Amino acid sequence: MNKKQRDVLEHAHKLFIEKGYLDTSIQDILERCGISKGTFYKYFSSKSELLISLLSILQESMTLQREKLAIEYKGTDRLVFEEQMIFMMRFMEENKVPEMIETTLVLNEIKIYHYIEEMKATTLSWIYTRFQEIFPKESSSQLFDSAVVFDGMINNIFRINKTLNYTLTIEHIVCYCMKRTEEMIMAVSEKKEQLFDPEILFSLFEEQTDYHFSTELIRATKSMKRFVGKNVMDETKQKECLEYIAFISDELLQNNADPRKFIINSSLSSLEEIEPVNNSIEITEYKQLLNRLIKNL
């Protein structure tokens, strides 16, 4: 997507926030952007296609920032997840994503409907994956059910909070939902209660949604940092290693420009030269992952 297209999307987004999606016409967008109708249709076949492009960019931006947060935030997997959820809900609120989605419900536009359903599936899939990392393996059979309940609970509480003009904070709602979810997981795990087959449903979600490399990168980055923290005893070298790892991660997760592959490779080469990183299995696996990600960019 070129700069001109992004500029049109940015102006359209501001109009959707100001007037709402339904009340914003293509003519409004043309006047705000200062472009001709021909230029608009060169980039987008319709207003609904523009909305899908906008939602896609917002989703990508939110995903990248969410995964960067997991690298930077210090805490347990549970606390990191809560911070990620707080960020996501705040991002959605600030960008008026729920309002844009709600206004499209009155439209009979199949493409928008399917795209929104895919967005929901992507989020649910991510929550389920994170629950697998947070909660004990003994609860694995109940975690998909729990992800479904958590997703529904948090979205409905946010909706009611807004409808009633209540004063619950995002932090309060996320923490409340996590506490209730944890209690539910403990209860249903003990009784072996299960609604959905997670294997069948999760494979369906994987087929419906695009896999984002950031999930794999975040795990590799955290793993590499742990290895350096435990095995590189020299403080200067340890700091140097962590700076290389952080730089590589930031470069790959940035969302405002293409990653500079030659700089990533240079940093990786420098990291490989430091003892005892150079002879480790961890650096071999890390390098293989980065080479694959860079190749697919």
Side-chain angles (χ1 to χ4, degrees), residues 250-264:
D250 288 344
E251 191 67 23
L252 282 167
L253 288 175
Q254 65 178 318
N255 62 350
N256 58 354
D258 292 331
R260 295 167 292 181
K261 299 177 183 180
F262 69 97
I263 296 182
I264 293 173

Side-chain angles (χ1 to χ4, degrees), residues 242-252 260 263-264 267:
L242 294 175
E243 286 176 351
Y244 285 133
I245 296 168
F247 175 81
I248 291 169
S249 174
D250 288 344
E251 191 67 23
L252 282 167
R260 295 167 292 181
I263 296 182
I264 293 173
S267 298

Side-chain angles (χ1 to χ4, degrees), residues 33-49:
C33 298
I35 61 173
S36 67
K37 188 175 288 188
T39 300
F40 177 89
Y41 285 111
K42 176 183 175 182
Y43 298 139
F44 309 102
S45 63
S46 63
K47 191 175 75 166
S48 61
E49 186 184 325

Side-chain angles (χ1 to χ4, degrees), residues 175-219:
C175 290
Y176 175 88
C177 290
M178 274 302 287
K179 287 178 182 177
R180 302 293 79 80
T181 300
E182 185 174 29
E183 291 167 359
M184 182 189 71
I185 289 173
M186 291 174 63
V188 297
S189 296
E190 184 177 335
K191 295 181 180 180
K192 306 296 182 185
E193 293 179 345
Q194 184 177 343
L195 293 175
F196 300 113
D197 182 340
E199 295 303 321
I200 294 174
L201 284 166
F202 194 45
S203 63
L204 176 63
F205 280 122
E206 282 185 319
E207 290 174 8
Q208 289 180 339
T209 58
D210 292 330
Y211 176 75
H212 202 288
F213 74 77
S214 56
T215 303
E216 197 170 357
L217 178 61
I218 181 72
R219 290 174 180 166

Side-chain angles (χ1 to χ4, degrees), residues 1-175:
M1 183 175 294
N2 61 38
K3 185 180 183 302
K4 191 65 177 178
Q5 284 174 287
R6 287 184 177 273
D7 288 342
V8 173
L9 287 172
E10 184 178 336
H11 286 300
H13 187 196
K14 290 177 181 177
L15 280 168
F16 295 161
I17 291 174
E18 294 167 15
K19 302 179 63 173
Y21 174 74
L22 293 181
D23 292 329
T24 299
S25 66
I26 290 179
Q27 186 60 39
D28 291 331
I29 297 171
L30 299 182
E31 292 173 3
R32 177 65 67 92
C33 298
I35 61 173
S36 67
K37 188 175 288 188
T39 300
F40 177 89
Y41 285 111
K42 176 183 175 182
Y43 298 139
F44 309 102
S45 63
S46 63
K47 191 175 75 166
S48 61
E49 186 184 325
L50 182 147
L51 177 62
I52 291 172
S53 295
L54 174 60
L55 291 174
S56 177
I57 285 178
L58 290 173
Q59 180 84 350
E60 180 183 5
S61 176
M62 183 181 71
T63 300
L64 292 173
Q65 293 180 65
R66 179 190 73 198
E67 301 307 330
K68 287 183 72 173
L69 179 65
I71 294 174
E72 298 162 0
Y73 186 80
K74 307 296 182 184
T76 62
D77 273 342
R78 158 107 178 233
L79 291 176
V80 170
F81 174 74
E82 289 183 6
E83 287 298 317
Q84 288 177 305
M85 285 301 308
I86 290 166
F87 162 74
M88 288 169 65
M89 302 310 294
R90 185 171 288 127
F91 181 95
M92 299 278 279
E93 185 68 22
E94 290 173 354
N95 287 283
K96 304 298 181 183
V97 174
E99 287 83 351
M100 285 191 285
I101 290 175
E102 285 174 16
T103 57
T104 63
L105 296 178
V106 300
L107 304 174
N108 187 25
E109 298 193 38
I110 300 300
K111 279 188 177 181
I112 292 180
Y113 172 78
H114 282 306
Y115 185 79
I116 291 171
E117 289 302 304
E118 286 180 6
M119 284 180 62
K120 292 177 181 178
T122 299
T123 300
L124 181 58
S125 172
W126 176 77
I127 292 171
Y128 174 52
T129 300
R130 294 293 283 118
F131 276 14
Q132 290 175 303
E133 297 167 349
I134 295 167
F135 294 105
K137 290 183 178 179
E138 299 77 47
S139 308
S140 59
S141 299
Q142 286 75 38
L143 293 184
F144 188 86
D145 294 350
S146 303
V148 172
V149 173
F150 175 84
D151 188 45
M153 179 166 49
I154 200 166
N155 282 297
N156 277 289
I157 291 176
F158 267 98
R159 182 175 58 81
I160 296 297
N161 186 48
K162 190 166 185 177
T163 301
L164 299 179
N165 199 26
Y166 222 58
T167 57
L168 296 174
T169 65
I170 292 176
E171 290 81 0
H172 186 177
I173 295 173
V174 170
C175 290

